[in-house]
């Protein structure tokens, strides 16, 4: 079986979980074609991602002008399918978040994707994220291309479900993978009951770099770690307000911040506001080896998010025997139990976040080891990429018609 994986941008520093899944299903005998709508990110820090970039087709490698030739070929060689695709484009654009012109851009991308599907003899298209890539897959199907499936991550897909026409995408897909029970419940909320049995749970997975590590030192010291995009969903300003409260209490601590994003100026302003210059180190974007070093140097991972799917960085930190301090939202409580693998606090509550950080610092070495060992066991039991890849492969085998 040959499956084409379609992502809006792949590879990308924050999409390691997609690479792990692709490698996992390939190891189980699935032939994978990689397609990114936009060109791969040009700031890739992982050698494995740079290798993936060399294997990946990009629909917009030559810009929008590069879509003209495939669109004309479809129109000339398959005029009836072309008209069917145009009709479907008008239907999808009706009452959509983005207008007709944007949907015709998706249609042009679908013509380019169709060309790849036929050249590579693709049996099925699998899409990660339910934003614009499923529209391209839907239009490719309307043009006579293969059927498709979607992995929906959240949280963006859920709070924009109506404008993204999530119900239509789920209905048109052969099957849909949710990354958590919470995610499946949200999809069932918007999708019609008759398609609920085609919505399955497939967890994001960790590979041997995290699952097979021996003798990881237990957490010690007073350093915390935040890894993630500096954006509204991650709420880094709440973490910094909590840090300010700790400083007022006279608590000795340090926070390493790994990541970049649109709130960088907000973060820098908060560091100044709460007089945290000596308590914060900003690392920007780093490779996986450095993230691992930062995790191992920390006493706990911090993630004060207000909107999430299920953050992979929590799984990675837990697999390295680090407890986490995070918020009680979305699917996070499926992974982390209060007082077992770490601390769960109400979102947006800087005082509660500061209290949890202080409790972590006041834990004995043995208490931290117990938390860290429980975290590692939980991550390994629930997020082994070998299990997730087998689950995905089984779904392909079940839903994709035999040639």
């Amino acid at each position: 079986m040959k499956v084409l994986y379609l992502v809006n941008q792949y590879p990308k520093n924050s999409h390691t979980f997609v690479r792990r899944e692709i490698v996992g299903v390939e190891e189980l005998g699935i032939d994978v074609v990689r397609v990114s709508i936009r060109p791969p990110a040009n700031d890739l820090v992982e050698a494995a991602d740079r290798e993936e970039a060399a294997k990946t087709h990009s629909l917009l490698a030559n810009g929008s002008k590069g879509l003209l030739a495939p669109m004309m070929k479809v129109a000339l060689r398959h005029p009836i399918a072309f008209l069917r695709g145009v009709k479907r484009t008008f239907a999808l654009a009706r009452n959509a978040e983005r207008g007709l012109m944007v949907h015709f851009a998706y249609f042009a991308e679908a013509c380019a994707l169709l060309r790849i599907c036929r050249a590579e003899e693709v049996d099925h298209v699998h899409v990660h994220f339910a934003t614009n890539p499923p529209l391209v897959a839907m239009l490719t199907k309307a043009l006579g291309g293969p059927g498709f499936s979607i992995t929906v991550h959240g949280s963006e897909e859920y709070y924009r479900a109506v404008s993204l026409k999530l119900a239509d995408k789920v209905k048109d897909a052969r099957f849909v993978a949710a990354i958590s029970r919470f995610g499946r419940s949200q999809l069932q909320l918007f999708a019609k009951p008759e398609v609920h049995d085609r919505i399955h749970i497939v967890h994001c997975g960790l590979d041997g770099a995290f699952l097979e590590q021996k003798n990881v030192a237990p957490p010690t010291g007073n350093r915390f770690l935040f890894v993630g995009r500096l954006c509204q969903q991650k709420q880094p300003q709440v973490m910094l307000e909590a840090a300010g409260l700790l400083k007022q209490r006279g608590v000795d601590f340090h926070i390493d911040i790994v990541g970049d994003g649109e709130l960088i100026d907000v973060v820098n302003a908060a560091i100044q506001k709460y007089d945290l210059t000596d308590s914060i180190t900003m690392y920007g974007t780093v490779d996986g080896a450095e993230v691992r070093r930062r995790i191992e140097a920390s006493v706990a991972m911090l993630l004060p998010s207000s909107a999430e799917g299920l953050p992979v960085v929590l799984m990675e930190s837990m697999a390295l025997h680090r407890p986490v301090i995070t918020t009680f939202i979305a699917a996070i409580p499926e992974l982390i139990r209060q007082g077992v693998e770490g601390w769960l606090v109400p979102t947006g509550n800087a005082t509660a976040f500061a209290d949890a950080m202080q409790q972590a610092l006041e834990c004995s070495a043995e208490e931290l080891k117990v938390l860290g060992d429980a975290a590692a066991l939980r991550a390994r039991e629930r997020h082994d990429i070998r299990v997730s890849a087998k689950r995905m492969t089984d779904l392909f085998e079940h839903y994709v018609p035999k040639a």
Side-chain angles (χ1 to χ4, degrees):
M1 181 187 300
K2 185 173 283 190
V3 175
L4 185 151
Y5 266 68
L6 178 67
V7 187
N8 192 42
Q9 187 175 39
Y10 178 82
K12 187 177 179 180
N13 290 322
S14 59
H15 290 171
T16 306
F17 52 88
V18 179
R19 167 164 50 82
R20 290 173 183 153
E21 181 178 296
I22 289 174
V23 172
V25 299
E26 281 184 322
E27 290 177 348
L28 292 171
I30 300 293
D31 193 0
V32 175
V33 178
R34 299 142 169 86
V35 177
S36 174
I37 294 179
R38 293 185 288 152
N42 57 16
D43 62 345
L44 299 172
V45 296
E46 291 283 342
D49 282 332
R50 293 192 291 272
E51 292 173 5
E52 284 291 289
K55 303 176 185 177
T56 302
H57 301 269
S58 172
L59 301 184
L60 293 173
N62 298 314
S64 56
K65 292 181 180 179
L67 300 176
L68 183 60
M71 188 164 60
M72 293 303 297
K73 286 182 179 179
V74 174
L76 293 172
R77 296 178 183 178
H78 309 283
I80 294 176
F82 186 86
L83 292 174
R84 186 169 60 242
V86 170
K87 181 180 179 181
R88 183 72 166 135
T89 301
F90 274 103
L92 289 172
R94 192 175 302 119
N95 299 321
E97 183 179 68
R98 295 182 173 180
L100 184 60
M101 292 303 296
V102 173
H103 279 73
F104 267 104
Y106 299 152
F107 175 69
E109 292 166 359
C111 291
L113 184 63
L114 179 68
R115 187 177 180 182
I116 296 172
C117 287
R118 289 184 169 160
E120 297 280 355
E121 299 182 336
V122 168
D123 300 302
H124 181 77
V125 173
H126 185 67
V127 180
H128 267 273
F129 303 102
T131 49
N132 59 304
L135 293 172
V136 178
M138 292 167 80
L139 291 170
T140 303
K141 178 185 173 186
L143 289 167
F148 69 97
S149 53
I150 317 168
T151 293
V152 183
H153 292 264
S155 59
E156 182 180 5
E157 293 103 320
Y158 304 140
Y159 62 71
R160 293 171 56 201
V162 175
S163 61
L164 288 174
K165 296 197 170 182
L166 186 57
D168 291 340
K169 294 170 181 176
V170 174
K171 180 181 178 181
D172 210 30
R174 284 173 170 162
F175 71 89
V176 177
I179 64 168
S180 64
R181 291 196 304 271
F182 173 81
R184 187 172 190 267
S185 74
Q186 297 305 290
L187 290 168
Q188 290 175 324
L189 179 64
F190 294 100
K192 292 184 180 299
E194 55 265 30
V195 301
H196 285 188
D197 63 345
R198 291 195 275 115
I199 304 172
H200 304 271
I201 298 172
V202 182
H203 291 139
C204 294
L206 303 176
D207 58 20
F210 289 93
L211 297 179
E212 298 171 4
Q213 300 305 304
K214 306 296 183 183
N215 303 318
V216 178
T220 58
N222 69 343
R223 299 184 82 92
F224 294 101
L225 177 63
F226 169 94
V227 179
R229 185 161 182 80
L230 302 178
C231 61
Q232 279 293 94
Q233 292 95 326
K234 302 293 183 184
Q235 292 288 294
Q237 59 270 43
V238 173
M239 174 183 69
L240 294 171
E241 183 181 351
L245 293 173
L246 285 185
K247 184 159 187 178
Q248 290 178 10
R249 299 174 188 176
V251 177
D252 184 27
F253 68 94
H254 197 93
I255 302 175
D256 294 331
I257 296 179
V258 172
D260 206 344
E262 57 268 27
L263 291 188
I264 183 65
D265 291 339
V266 173
V267 167
N268 286 329
I271 291 171
Q272 296 301 318
K273 176 181 178 180
Y274 299 116
D275 191 24
L276 296 171
T277 303
D278 295 333
S279 302
I280 306 287
T281 300
M282 305 285 289
Y283 284 87
T285 302
V286 301
D287 63 18
E290 182 61 26
V291 170
R292 182 191 173 94
R293 284 192 289 271
R294 292 300 96 214
I295 291 174
E296 292 183 345
S298 69
V299 66
M301 173 68 71
L302 306 178
L303 195 64
S305 300
S306 61
E308 285 288 358
L310 185 55
V312 174
V313 70
L314 294 183
M315 306 167 200
E316 294 175 343
S317 183
M318 292 168 66
L320 295 177
H321 296 256
R322 294 302 179 265
V324 298
I325 300 172
T326 186
T327 46
F328 198 100
I329 60 164
I332 289 177
E334 294 177 33
L335 177 60
I336 296 144
R337 296 164 294 185
Q338 167 64 26
V340 181
E341 294 87 17
W343 291 263
L344 292 172
V345 303
T347 185
N349 190 325
T351 300
F353 207 85
D355 291 343
M357 292 172 66
Q358 186 166 351
Q359 289 169 25
L361 292 172
E362 292 173 349
C363 280
S364 67
E366 182 57 32
E367 288 170 331
L368 285 175
K369 185 178 185 303
V370 169
L371 288 166
D373 289 348
L377 180 62
R378 186 79 164 169
R380 291 169 184 173
E381 287 179 341
R382 297 176 61 86
H383 294 283
D384 187 330
I385 191 57
R386 294 166 296 189
V387 175
S388 298
K390 180 63 167 61
R391 177 66 169 149
M392 186 61 72
T393 299
D394 289 344
L395 291 171
F396 291 147
E397 295 287 352
H398 180 76
Y399 284 100
V400 179
K402 302 296 186 292

